[in-house]
Amino acid sequence: MLKQLKFAAIALLVAVGFTACSEDDPAPVIPPAPITPTDSVAPADSIINPMRGEAGMYVINQGNSYGNVAGALDFIAQNGTKTDSVFFKANGQLIGDEPQKPIIYGSKMYVPVHADNLVWVLDANTATVIASVQTNQPEAVCASNGHVYISNFDGFVTRIDTTTYTKSTPLAVGPNPYGMAAANGKVYVACSDAYGNDYANSAIAVIDEATFSKVKSLTNEGIKDPWDMVADNSGNVYFTTIAFGTTNKVWKIDANDNVSTLCDGTYIATNSQNRTSRATGKQDLLYVIHAVTDWSTYATTISSSVYNAATGAQLSNNFLQTPANTTEYTFAPICMDVNPANGDIYVCSDNGSNGYAKPGYINVYTSNGAFSKRIATGIHPYGVIFK
């Protein structure tokens, strides 16, 4: 769902008084490369395929369902050449309303489309449709050991086989599940309880992969509206809590399922992003953006930091440098991704905190935080998926 739109709607009501699990080795580059790998896990140092991010990236734009603007999938090649609406060009139809962040797993891309109650299965090389899986209000997807897991906003997780697309019986996990990550033979699900009684039933559901059963819920009185979730290479899982009216927080779940707070933060990414087994960098890094919006003025204050994911030590504060032309572009971040090939950081942004009906952009930073460039996108860019 559009978290920013939810926040804006609540703020408006107040004023008048009432917003990756582990994948296997990367798919080949965009056409005309002929190689099509299978969904099996290739050796970590395979030289058959390029490292994720070396071929380019897909960008998912959510569009604006309130303005009857459907979502779109674009592709930006390594040399910067941008191809708009690759899904439409490949399939002759729109991708749908409210597409969520996809993943690439093996040779396929999985795109959840919330408002259309389906997950597209695409050829990651051509963006052509291989299959579609009907599922209620899909919010997020992650993958592990030959399965793709789908969080359904109606309170369930669905699992599909990546070869046959056979769908499991939905597994009840908790109210309004959103982000997911796979680690240590388990799938972690952020159950936000976004429309509950003060988020009273917010929790992290833990699914055992081997049995596809919910084995526990991780709770804490501070866990309200858990949202985004990522994993590092050491078996740690991180998630954010963004309940309206509270300070956004970043939490850590270690390999033994101990939960603790790390810092203030709204958007997170790891330098592995779980999109390749050959992540760059000598240590696991966790990147954090803390975005605070004054909904009476729509002014957003940004801070950023980097942590050693293994130890939790802060390595840098105010890491992302201020880009040029800040008077022309109002920075309103939506999500963050890190290119595993070179460590560059991509931050998707609306054109202002109340600019979700306008085309957005991506700020690109080098691995040391220096502003590199700005890429124009469609409306509400909601994630970068590296190839």
Side-chain angles (χ1 to χ4, degrees):
M1 297 288 283
L2 304 183
K3 288 284 183 177
Q4 285 76 11
L5 298 189
K6 184 181 80 172
F7 290 167
I10 293 173
L12 180 60
L13 289 173
V14 171
V16 298
F18 71 148
T19 165
C21 269
S22 172
E23 288 90 34
D24 54 358
D25 263 9
V29 299
I30 209 73
I35 302 173
T36 303
T38 67
D39 283 318
S40 60
V41 177
D45 295 319
S46 170
I47 60 174
I48 298 175
N49 298 311
M51 186 182 293
R52 291 276 167 87
E54 290 180 341
M57 63 185 186
Y58 289 101
V59 179
I60 191 72
N61 302 294
Q62 282 201 324
N64 183 355
S65 59
Y66 300 103
N68 294 319
V69 179
L73 184 69
D74 302 334
F75 184 80
I76 302 174
Q78 176 78 12
N79 63 5
T81 301
K82 186 169 180 279
T83 304
D84 293 331
S85 302
V86 292
F87 180 92
F88 180 80
K89 291 174 180 176
N91 301 290
Q93 61 177 311
L94 298 173
I95 200 167
D97 289 333
E98 297 181 25
Q100 307 298 306
K101 194 170 187 176
I103 59 170
I104 291 177
Y105 188 54
S107 61
K108 300 161 192 168
M109 183 188 307
Y110 299 82
V111 188
V113 186
H114 176 90
D116 289 344
N117 297 314
L118 63 81
V119 173
W120 291 116
V121 183
L122 309 181
D123 184 313
N125 188 41
T126 64
T128 54
V129 172
I130 298 172
S132 65
V133 178
Q134 297 296 314
T135 184
N136 290 335
Q137 300 176 296
E139 287 282 5
V141 286
C142 71
S144 181
N145 295 318
H147 292 99
V148 167
Y149 296 83
I150 307 163
S151 63
N152 303 114
F153 202 64
D154 60 359
F156 296 85
V157 166
T158 303
R159 184 170 76 170
I160 61 174
D161 183 279
T162 59
T163 302
T164 64
Y165 316 118
T166 303
K167 185 172 64 173
S168 70
T169 300
L171 174 67
V173 291
N176 312 132
Y178 189 75
M180 294 190 294
N184 313 310
K186 294 170 281 190
V187 175
Y188 297 83
V189 187
C191 297
S192 65
D193 193 19
Y195 300 99
N197 181 19
D198 193 29
Y199 312 101
N201 296 304
S202 292
I204 305 300
V206 182
I207 298 172
D208 177 72
E209 283 193 60
T211 61
F212 189 53
S213 60
K214 178 183 172 181
V215 294
K216 67 177 92 170
S217 289
L218 306 179
T219 60
N220 181 293
E221 64 180 9
I223 298 178
K224 294 184 177 182
D225 199 4
W227 180 38
D228 200 10
M229 187 175 284
V230 297
D232 65 20
N233 289 325
S234 302
N236 300 306
V237 172
Y238 299 87
F239 66 94
T240 59
T241 51
I242 59 169
F244 191 80
T246 66
T247 300
N248 300 338
K249 294 287 185 182
V250 178
W251 300 70
K252 177 180 178 180
I253 306 172
D254 67 17
N256 296 315
D257 291 342
N258 298 308
V259 182
S260 59
T261 56
L262 179 66
C263 62
D264 293 346
T266 313
Y267 307 103
I268 53 178
T270 56
N271 60 335
S272 68
Q273 284 293 282
N274 294 306
R275 294 196 173 110
T276 176
S277 58
R278 295 172 288 163
T280 58
K282 297 181 180 180
Q283 59 184 339
D284 276 347
L285 299 177
L286 175 72
Y287 299 84
V288 178
I289 291 177
H290 188 210
V292 180
T293 300
D294 181 343
W295 292 106
S296 64
T297 63
Y298 292 102
T300 300
T301 302
I302 305 295
S303 61
S304 58
S305 52
V306 182
Y307 291 83
N308 181 313
T311 66
Q314 187 181 58
L315 304 178
S316 178
N317 192 25
N318 291 323
F319 179 71
L320 299 180
Q321 300 173 17
T322 303
N325 302 322
T326 53
T327 57
E328 180 182 354
Y329 294 93
T330 304
F331 195 34
I334 303 169
C335 59
M336 175 170 47
D337 294 282
V338 181
N339 188 333
N342 56 20
D344 285 355
I345 303 157
Y346 291 71
V347 182
C348 294
S349 176
D350 281 330
N351 199 335
S353 297
N354 62 342
Y356 46 80
K358 303 175 183 177
Y361 58 88
I362 301 171
N363 275 349
V364 184
Y365 303 83
T366 64
S367 59
N368 63 6
F371 177 73
S372 174
K373 58 185 175 181
R374 182 176 285 110
I375 302 172
T377 69
I379 294 175
H380 205 68
Y382 208 57
V384 174
I385 308 92
F386 299 102
K387 286 189 84 275

